[in-house]
Amino acid sequence: MNQPAPPGTKKSSNVVWCATHVSRADRERLNGHRGAVLWFTGLSGSGKSTISSAVESRLHQLGCRTYVCDGDNIRHGLNGDLGFSPADRVENIRRIAEVAKLFLDAGMIVLTAFISPYRADRAKARERMPRGDFIEVYCRCPLEVCERRDVKGMYRRARAGEIKEFTGISAPYEEPEAAEIVLNTDERSQEECVDAVIRYLRQTGVVAAELP
Amino acid sequence: MNQPAPPGTKKSSNVVWCATHVSRADRERLNGHRGAVLWFTGLSGSGKSTISSAVESRLHQLGCRTYVCDGDNIRHGLNGDLGFSPADRVENIRRIAEVAKLFLDAGMIVLTAFISPYRADRAKARERMPRGDFIEVYCRCPLEVCERRDVKGMYRRARAGEIKEFTGISAPYEEPEAAEIVLNTDERSQEECVDAVIRYLRQTGVVAAELP
């Protein structure tokens, strides 16, 4: 009931239509920065979680309102009913995009850290957002390097056939063709990667250029 | 990857495990208030949307970080794939609770405005949140009054049989038995209802008592 009452609508004498409504712009003014979606994508082990978390820390230190959506808080909660079938993977990304859109509307800088291997799914997520608010961050790292890191032991299990349809091994990863930010995580330090993201946010006015 | 690396985990020389991680407490410190879920429930036309929107406006004026989840932004987005069957209604509320939990973790005061007619669903939502963070706000209003208001013309259509399983007419509404806040919206003005919610938030320390 955020709209004015349609003409001819009956009202109770006690409940008055409330046209005042807090908008995204109001929240952004209060926050002192614009909302944005930083959509991290890349192979398992390419640094999505690590770098998104480090970017969040830096933004938080700058006084920005931030939130990271990752496997920890999404797969165990909202998307706990989904598996890894093709249909479930599509639905997984769809819901993440919708949640990111809510946080964007709340005036926050939301960072999503999921492999999100399919171009079509990422394109759909982008299309759901107002133009310019969706910032694709590609954590580019050769498969051999990710596999050598094998932080969670997943590649070993995928090679052993214990995990089916593992991205990069037995399922495709479709590289972004025009990501706003490309981080070569095997060549750059975490610090340099974080700097690159923050620089982008300043250049595009998400975060004020004059912040420390 | 927000946890420290488990012992014996291999690391790339470039990607350092990042134990610094922005917590809910960090975000609450930045915001200057606690996170909370204000879960509005009540019949269609009982004032949930109007009052939650007015509460949000007041909180925003106090400098609080807020967001309202309602039919407008949830039913058309995240839950756009759901209908009104019993199973879909359960899933609708489950997802809303999970989204509210994410906003809570983000340190925000999130207000949800859905009929949410079943006790079991509301209880499940409550159980998903840390104790004390789920605040049930019952907009109590006699069916006759809601039906007389009939803001969206839904009761008329439900009586005419055009809408099936309409809460209060052809589907049950299970009243809360121990809501934290009960608003008799047919007897109190919008202003009084908003005051009651803000008073509760001050008394329970969600919002600092000394704020204007």
Side-chain angles (χ1 to χ4, degrees), chain A residues 158-175:
Chain A
R159 289 287 183 195
E162 292 169 33
I163 306 174
K164 306 286 175 208
E165 302 199 74
F166 191 81
T167 301
I169 304 294
S170 42
Y173 177 79
E174 298 174 357
E175 287 203 301

Side-chain angles (χ1 to χ4, degrees), chain B residues 97-163:
Chain B
E98 293 293 352
V99 167
K101 196 180 175 195
L102 295 174
F103 275 100
L104 176 66
D105 190 39
M108 301 185 76
I109 301 175
V110 56
L111 307 90
T112 65
F114 297 89
I115 298 173
S116 47
Y118 297 111
R119 266 184 214 127
D121 293 343
R122 296 192 304 263
K124 262 186 251 164
R126 180 187 291 271
E127 282 160 23
R128 293 286 298 146
M129 317 287 172
R131 184 177 286 273
D133 291 333
F134 183 91
I135 301 163
E136 197 168 352
V137 184
Y138 176 28
C139 292
R140 182 158 63 189
C141 185
L143 178 64
E144 313 82 75
V145 177
C146 294
E147 193 166 357
R148 203 159 55 232
R149 290 176 186 166
D150 205 9
V151 173
K152 300 174 188 169
M154 305 274 270
Y155 282 98
R156 193 191 48 72
R157 292 177 56 205
R159 290 287 184 197
E162 293 169 31
I163 306 175

Side-chain angles (χ1 to χ4, degrees), chain A residues 104-117:
Chain A
L104 176 66
D105 190 38
M108 301 184 75
I109 299 175
V110 57
L111 307 90
T112 65
F114 297 88
I115 298 174
S116 47

Side-chain angles (χ1 to χ4, degrees), chain A residues 3 12 14 16-17 27 30-31 50 56 65-67 72 78 94 105 108 149 151 186 190, chain B residues 1 3 12 14 16-17 27 30-31 56 65-67 72 78 81 94 105 108 149 151 186 190:
Chain A
Q3 306 84 17
S12 145
N14 284 332
V16 180
W17 280 92
R27 296 189 192 96
L30 183 62
N31 289 346
T50 307
E56 182 184 36
R65 266 62 185 185
T66 56
Y67 196 64
D72 286 344
L78 178 65
R94 186 192 73 82
D105 190 38
M108 301 184 75
R149 291 176 185 165
V151 173
D186 61 325
Q190 179 183 307
Chain B
M1 298 195 192
Q3 306 86 18
S12 147
N14 284 331
V16 180
W17 279 92
R27 296 190 192 96
L30 183 62
N31 289 345
E56 184 186 35
R65 266 63 185 185
T66 56
Y67 196 64
D72 286 343
L78 179 65
D81 57 326
R94 185 192 74 81
D105 190 39
M108 301 185 76
R149 290 176 186 166
V151 173
D186 61 325
Q190 179 183 306

Side-chain angles (χ1 to χ4, degrees), chain A residues 195-207:
Chain A
D195 286 346
V197 176
I198 302 291
R199 201 178 313 124
Y200 183 91
L201 296 177
R202 289 186 197 278
Q203 282 166 353
T204 52
V206 173
V207 172

Side-chain angles (χ1 to χ4, degrees), chain A residues 46 51 139-142 145 148-149 182-193, chain B residues 12-15:
Chain A
S46 62
I51 296 168
C139 292
R140 182 159 62 187
C141 184
V145 178
R148 203 159 54 232
R149 291 176 185 165
V182 178
L183 305 172
N184 293 308
T185 61
D186 61 325
E187 297 169 1
R188 300 288 168 198
S189 70
Q190 179 183 307
E191 192 75 5
E192 288 172 312
C193 292
Chain B
S12 147
S13 58
N14 284 331
V15 174

Side-chain angles (χ1 to χ4, degrees), chain A residues 102-170:
Chain A
L102 295 173
F103 275 100
L104 176 66
D105 190 38
M108 301 184 75
I109 299 175
V110 57
L111 307 90
T112 65
F114 297 88
I115 298 174
S116 47
Y118 297 112
R119 266 183 214 130
D121 293 343
R122 296 193 304 264
K124 264 187 248 162
R126 180 186 291 271
E127 282 159 22
R128 293 287 298 146
M129 318 287 172
R131 184 177 287 272
D133 291 333
F134 183 89
I135 301 163
E136 197 168 352
V137 184
Y138 176 29
C139 292
R140 182 159 62 187
C141 184
L143 177 64
E144 313 82 73
V145 178
C146 294
E147 192 166 357
R148 203 159 54 232
R149 291 176 185 165
D150 206 9
V151 173
K152 301 174 186 168
M154 304 274 270
Y155 283 98
R156 194 192 47 71
R157 292 178 56 205
R159 289 287 183 195
E162 292 169 33
I163 306 174
K164 306 286 175 208
E165 302 199 74
F166 191 81
T167 301
I169 304 294
S170 42

